Amino acid sequence: MFKKTLAACTILLLGNTAWGQSNVTLYGIIDAGIGVINNQAGKSVVQVQSGWVWGSRLGFKGVEDLGGGSSALFVLENGFDVDTGALSQGGRLFGRQSFVGLSNKDSGTITMGKQYDPVFDTLSGADITVGGGEAGLLFAHPFDNDNTLGSITAQNSVKYTSQKMGGFTFNGMYAFGETAGAFATNRLFGGGVNYNAGPLTLGMTFERISKPGANIYGAAASDQSSVASGQEIWGVGARYLAGPLSMGAAYTSSVLDTPVSSAYAGTLAANLQRLKFQNIEINAKYQLTPAFSALGMYAVTLGKFNTVSASESQTRQQFAVMLDYFLSKRTDLYFQTAYQYVSGSNGGGIPRQAQIVGAAFSSGPSQAVLRIGLKHSF
């Protein structure tokens, strides 16, 4: 009897293998470097920093061929700090991405879980903005106010991504708030469109979050986003390739209604009614040799703060440069530096103090960061 049962189980297992051809890939990035910040709360500091270019991560992804041009897929990806070994993203096991879905070569792809939002997919995913693409924190817009760095990965989300049609690709997302009796609380919806024709890539996106950060389990978790009664983001951008030179430009707008706090800026003024950021970025990358490239960015962020009694404005200008040399296909050495200067109002909820993403506030209107790092992918 035992032998018959064992034989039946073996046949079932072999049969399952034959029905669906699947594969699972283990992948990851380890990014570590030494950084020098000239002014952090009035003092300079030297740090070993993890994941400032590409967040250090360990992931699993798999695809199963279902036949007829269809497939099932999944991604489970965590983030961690190389310098301490601790989990990132609030200690979540798979805090960067965790989703499952179905894809068809004609109809597109639908996925469900925790995943990047339309703003990130449309602008950073197409390398139009470089902070969330290949350059990381020192190239991010202040406080990642428009999420082009990808600080928020939408929880409880359903996302559709089309196949390429006449140069166009479309994406759309709805992420549930999951609050009983308050359907709209901490929900997210939005979409984007990209157009690619030869050397030219265009992108346009829109996104709305109702009561972001209202809780830890909604679309925009309270430890990864701003806390406000609402947030609206939209952006447009373009990228152009000319031989070894690539150039990008983007404009984004981010409006927070009744903001309370920011994941990067901390607690805001109690009387703040509206906070608006307008970001303008231009960037250029030159591939000097197949292994060596230089990247530069200039970004200006115009902030407007509306309080109960006044309207104030603030401007943050940021310059950043990156030199990247690949020792192999998987390993590269890089140098980065960034400088930010703040002018305008010293009130309105955010002080006139510089803060490059990844560093704490400086004690004055300027801040500089220099970093040398090593990144390995597998």
Side-chain angles (χ1 to χ4, degrees):
M1 183 67 185
F2 174 76
K3 291 182 178 179
K4 290 181 179 180
T5 302
L6 180 61
C9 290
T10 302
I11 291 171
L12 285 172
L13 289 172
L14 291 174
N16 283 337
T17 302
W19 292 336
Q21 296 300 316
S22 62
N23 65 79
V24 176
T25 301
L26 170 68
Y27 68 94
I29 296 173
I30 302 174
D31 176 9
I34 298 174
V36 180
I37 304 170
N38 77 323
N39 185 334
Q40 186 165 272
K43 299 179 180 179
S44 64
V45 61
V46 180
Q47 302 171 327
V48 173
Q49 301 158 340
S50 172
W52 276 41
V53 173
W54 283 64
S56 298
R57 68 197 69 177
L58 180 65
F60 305 87
K61 58 184 177 182
V63 178
E64 180 187 16
D65 185 1
L66 301 178
S70 297
S71 59
L73 60 105
F74 77 89
V75 170
L76 298 172
E77 183 178 292
N78 81 354
F80 63 92
D81 293 331
V82 175
D83 48 333
T84 64
L87 288 173
S88 304
Q89 290 82 42
R92 294 171 175 83
L93 178 59
F94 296 112
R96 295 185 62 88
Q97 300 183 85
S98 57
F99 62 83
V100 64
L102 294 172
S103 182
N104 180 270
K105 65 181 179 64
D106 299 316
S107 305
T109 302
I110 186 166
T111 49
M112 295 178 289
K114 181 176 174 65
Q115 46 197 329
Y116 289 114
D117 68 347
V119 172
F120 184 90
D121 284 345
T122 305
L123 297 179
S124 299
D127 289 330
I128 293 171
T129 56
V130 293
E134 59 184 312
L137 303 186
L138 300 190
F139 289 70
H141 302 154
F143 319 118
D144 192 24
N145 65 82
D146 53 7
N147 204 45
T148 51
L149 183 64
S151 298
I152 302 171
T153 48
Q155 303 182 144
N156 322 317
S157 62
V158 180
K159 178 164 69 174
Y160 170 76
T161 306
S162 75
Q163 298 291 353
K164 193 172 183 179
M165 299 177 289
F168 289 93
T169 55
F170 304 88
N171 68 78
M173 172 181 281
Y174 188 94
F176 294 85
E178 299 191 350
T179 298
F183 184 80
T185 296
N186 205 357
R187 70 175 177 182
L188 179 155
F189 60 88
V193 57
N194 286 106
Y195 176 75
N196 178 257
L200 178 65
T201 299
L202 304 175
M204 180 171 62
T205 184
F206 170 82
E207 182 171 304
R208 173 76 186 177
I209 313 174
S210 302
K211 296 185 178 180
N215 47 50
I216 197 72
Y217 54 81
S222 54
D223 62 338
Q224 294 184 324
S225 69
S226 296
V227 177
S229 63
Q231 183 174 12
E232 186 174 289
I233 306 170
W234 69 271
V236 294
R239 179 172 179 256
Y240 188 80
L241 298 175
L245 176 67
S246 63
M247 299 168 286
Y251 170 84
T252 62
S253 171
S254 176
V255 178
L256 291 151
D257 294 318
T258 323
V260 176
S261 65
S262 161
Y264 290 101
T267 303
L268 305 174
N271 64 344
L272 195 57
Q273 293 184 319
R274 200 168 197 241
L275 180 57
K276 181 178 182 178
F277 294 104
Q278 297 180 85
N279 307 282
I280 302 168
E281 174 185 329
I282 56 173
N283 60 72
K285 178 182 177 181
Y286 193 84
Q287 198 73 40
L288 293 112
T289 71
F292 184 48
S293 65
L295 171 67
M297 182 206 73
Y298 169 74
V300 58
T301 297
L302 309 174
K304 188 174 183 180
F305 319 127
N306 293 328
T307 64
V308 175
S309 58
S311 177
E312 302 182 53
S313 60
Q314 193 179 89
T315 301
R316 292 176 180 263
Q317 298 184 74
Q318 187 163 322
F319 304 85
V321 173
M322 177 177 179
L323 302 177
D324 196 6
Y325 182 76
F326 275 81
L327 303 172
S328 69
K329 289 183 178 181
R330 296 178 179 271
T331 304
D332 59 308
L333 288 167
Y334 61 84
F335 165 83
Q336 290 184 317
T337 186
Y339 175 80
Q340 184 183 108
Y341 182 78
V342 187
S343 60
S345 171
N346 195 35
I350 298 180
R352 193 176 63 228
Q353 297 168 229
Q355 186 197 40
I356 295 169
V357 173
F361 274 108
S362 73
S363 61
S366 65
Q367 187 176 64
V369 178
L370 184 149
R371 189 167 190 271
I372 298 174
L374 173 68
K375 176 169 63 70
H376 177 75
S377 304
F378 60 91

